[in-house]
Amino acid sequence: MTAQTPAEQRLDRDGPVPLDELTSGLPPALDVTDHLDEIRAGRRLVILDDDPTGTQTIADLPVLTRWSVDDVRWALQQDTAGFFVLTNTRSVSAPDAAERNREVVRALAEAARLEGDAAYAIASRSDSTLRGYFPLETDVLAEELARTGRAVDGVVVCPAFIEPGRLTIDSVHWMRTADGMIPVARSEFARDRSFGYHHSDLRDWVEEKTQGRVPAASVATVTIDDIRRGGPDRVQAIVAGLGGGRPVVVDAVADADLQVVALALVRAEAAGACFLYRCGPSFVRARSGQQATPAIDAPRLRRILDSATAAAMSSPGADSRPTAAHGLVVVGSHVGLTTRQLDGLRASSPVVEVELHVPTLLDPDRRADHVREVAAEATDLLRDNDSDADVVIRTSRELVPGTDAHHSLDIARTVSASLVETVREVVAVLRPAFVLAKGGITSSDTATEGLGVRRAWSRGTMLPGIVSLWEPVSGPAEGIPYIVFPGNVGDDAALADVVATLRSV
């Protein structure tokens, strides 16, 4: 019998593994920050984000929520190493997700042609806990690139998200909990009704998700040893040897590991290789040539707000809506962490809450009236100048399960659409001091349908690497700070901490 590897032994353990045990004996990380300019000078990174939370690790990149050729041309014209296109595919059906990816790539190809054949690489940014349409999205992207004459040599699978502790070691993906590190397949996210899975070893996960089309044994690997002992040359040799769209799974424990990988990929692309990236947020930062930045504090937030307000005031057309003294917090995520964070906000900050009752929203005869009533109540509360409280619009906390993955998505879409309609009715009347949306689907739909954001800048993070601040530059939300807060990140005090910063200016 073959002896188990350390990774296999850890996977067989029943309980959490201490982080220091998981990382003990690893070689020291390599520092390639002197080469970040080389990474930034590589092909423009176009990040197709399956919900808006991928912006949480970067600063000062454009964000599109629509992908007309004109919109994509605008993004290509900005002097940045990349930009986001918010596809929000995690909230739609598989056929719709496939079609959105096709539309984006076709618009991108035309926009790049009109911009002088601008070179670009595509990242399919998805969840660091492995939920989402894989391999559907990378398959569609590869097909569309092939139509333009660009055959994909390899699909780089790199879900790591350093700040919240989603790390990959020996091809096994781990996540941090209060008790220690656990293989991601043992988390609540692996039981997702729409995107669940059974394997934490990414090679086995690829085989599972491709239904055996890609056997685990055929998946290439870039290990911590490759990254830290071999450096960019070793990693480049591995990825340059890919062909036919072969997947390669990538280890990462620190941002420095991802910078080594990004440098190797840029060099391989300069030599003619073509890759698709299926990645988490931290890879986006490394491949954009950025480093982690401090969380936005009150003075920097004030400068951002002053700039955004000045830009909004100079836009054509007068905005007659009054500006509320209070902010609007929109909570749609139902995971346990969000519920605890909402409890933390209640305990630390003056808030008033209005509830969208999910069973009522699922009743087509009652939904519209319920939405109107909640929107009117929230608007009145925001208008109340005698109150010091921000307003929380939240869904009821009980989970209404679907009968299958399709039904679960239908429920999520109905609830999200109701939240969006509520927000849209509120902002039609007044301008909140800020809008914060909690949950991936919630924050995407709030941005696009509730606030009418078409183009924005992601200005940085409200918490280190996990919560992003957008500056909308179009639509009814122009000049209103918009905070994208995923449902599955931060500690129990995170929501309260962000709101405290927003209230401090």
Side-chain angles (χ1 to χ4, degrees):
M1 179 181 294
T2 304
Q4 283 187 314
T5 67
E8 290 168 336
Q9 292 170 1
R10 289 191 291 260
L11 274 175
D12 282 347
R13 297 237 312 244
D14 289 333
V17 178
L19 177 60
D20 57 358
E21 178 183 332
L22 196 62
T23 58
S24 66
L26 296 180
L30 294 181
D31 182 358
V32 297
T33 53
D34 287 348
H35 296 275
L36 292 182
D37 284 345
E38 183 180 351
I39 296 174
R40 287 190 287 268
R43 295 176 186 171
R44 181 79 62 94
L45 185 66
V46 183
I47 307 115
L48 278 59
D49 203 346
D50 72 353
D51 77 6
T53 60
T55 59
Q56 64 210 128
T57 61
I58 57 84
D60 300 323
L61 290 187
V63 180
L64 301 177
T65 69
R66 297 290 187 269
W67 42 90
S68 72
V69 172
D70 283 346
D71 288 318
V72 178
R73 289 189 72 183
W74 173 82
L76 286 170
Q77 290 163 4
Q78 308 310 307
D79 186 18
T80 62
F83 61 90
F84 285 81
V85 181
L86 177 58
T87 61
N88 198 29
T89 50
R90 215 184 304 169
S91 71
V92 301
S93 67
D96 287 345
E99 183 58 26
R100 289 188 184 187
N101 278 273
R102 290 191 185 97
E103 289 172 357
V104 173
V105 177
R106 291 174 185 178
L108 177 59
E110 177 63 9
R113 184 188 68 80
L114 293 170
E115 293 297 318
D117 292 321
Y120 56 86
I122 295 178
S124 176
R125 204 295 302 183
S126 192
D127 184 35
S128 62
T129 60
L130 304 183
R131 297 168 299 169
Y133 284 115
F134 177 86
L136 172 68
E137 293 189 294
T138 50
D139 286 348
V140 168
L141 294 171
E143 290 170 6
E144 290 300 320
L145 284 173
R147 285 164 50 95
T148 68
R150 298 175 61 190
V152 172
D153 296 301
V155 177
V156 179
V157 178
C158 186
F161 189 4
I162 304 303
E163 279 85 355
R166 284 86 186 261
L167 313 177
T168 309
I169 302 172
D170 294 331
S171 302
V172 175
H173 199 50
W174 297 81
M175 68 171 286
R176 185 172 64 223
T177 70
D179 299 317
M181 304 294 290
I182 62 170
V184 71
R186 296 182 191 169
S187 72
E188 63 175 309
F189 307 110
R191 299 187 293 275
D192 187 279
R193 287 179 175 267
S194 301
F195 301 112
Y197 53 91
H198 299 92
H199 294 285
S200 301
D201 188 310
L202 294 179
R203 294 164 293 190
D204 296 326
W205 178 80
V206 168
E207 179 175 309
E208 176 186 358
K209 285 297 180 178
T210 62
Q211 299 181 333
R213 187 189 80 203
V214 181
S218 71
V219 178
T221 62
V222 173
T223 67
I224 287 291
D225 265 12
D226 294 323
I227 295 167
R228 296 188 174 186
R229 296 189 195 278
D233 290 345
R234 170 61 182 157
V235 177
Q236 184 178 348
I238 294 170
V239 297
L242 301 173
R246 182 184 179 189
V248 55
V249 299
V250 178
D251 283 3
V253 175
D255 281 322
D257 301 322
L258 295 169
Q259 290 165 0
V260 170
V261 173
L263 180 59
L265 290 164
V266 165
R267 289 174 175 175
E269 287 171 340
C274 179
F275 304 113
L276 280 173
Y277 307 129
R278 181 68 174 189
C279 60
S282 292
F283 178 85
V284 171
R285 178 167 60 207
R287 181 56 183 76
S288 301
Q290 294 194 11
Q291 295 180 276
T293 57
I296 294 171
D297 58 11
R300 185 175 170 216
L301 179 59
R302 169 48 59 199
R303 291 194 296 273
I304 292 170
L305 296 185
D306 288 346
S307 174
T309 300
M313 294 296 290
S314 66
S315 295
D319 189 342
S320 61
R321 293 172 297 165
T323 298
H326 320 304
L328 180 64
V329 178
V330 185
V331 182
S333 169
H334 61 259
V335 299
L337 176 58
T338 291
T339 301
R340 296 194 302 274
Q341 289 171 339
L342 187 55
D343 287 339
L345 176 63
R346 294 180 181 120
S348 66
S349 183
V351 294
V352 288
E353 301 177 44
V354 290
E355 179 181 275
L356 284 164
H357 186 240
V358 171
T360 303
L361 298 177
L362 299 178
D363 181 343
D365 294 328
R366 301 165 64 197
R367 187 180 80 87
D369 286 342
H370 185 46
V371 167
R372 279 194 294 270
E373 291 166 1
V374 170
E377 183 180 359
T379 302
D380 288 342
L381 290 168
L382 283 167
R383 279 184 172 135
D384 185 359
N385 291 324
D386 294 329
S387 169
D388 189 37
D390 297 309
V391 177
V392 175
I393 300 175
R394 61 172 176 81
T395 54
S396 52
R397 294 292 86 196
E398 69 270 22
L399 175 64
V400 179
T403 55
D404 54 27
H406 180 73
H407 187 216
S408 295
L409 275 175
D410 281 344
I411 291 174
R413 282 196 292 267
T414 298
V415 173
S416 185
S418 302
L419 270 171
V420 163
E421 289 174 29
T422 307
V423 173
R424 186 165 56 237
E425 291 197 21
V426 171
V427 298
V429 176
L430 50 72
R431 296 167 58 88
F434 63 83
V435 177
L436 183 154
K438 188 74 171 73
I441 293 174
T442 301
S443 52
S444 173
D445 290 351
T446 299
T448 56
E449 305 300 330
L451 300 177
V453 177
R454 191 179 188 101
R455 301 173 183 176
W457 285 86
S458 183
R459 289 304 187 192
T461 62
M462 299 295 297
L463 293 175
I466 57 175
V467 176
S468 54
L469 171 67
W470 287 13
E471 178 191 336
V473 295
S474 66
E478 185 175 4
I480 299 174
Y482 180 59
I483 297 86
V484 177
F485 201 134
N488 62 354
V489 301
D491 60 21
D492 290 359
L495 180 58
D497 290 344
V498 171
V499 171
T501 300
L502 291 164
R503 289 173 60 90
S504 69
V505 297

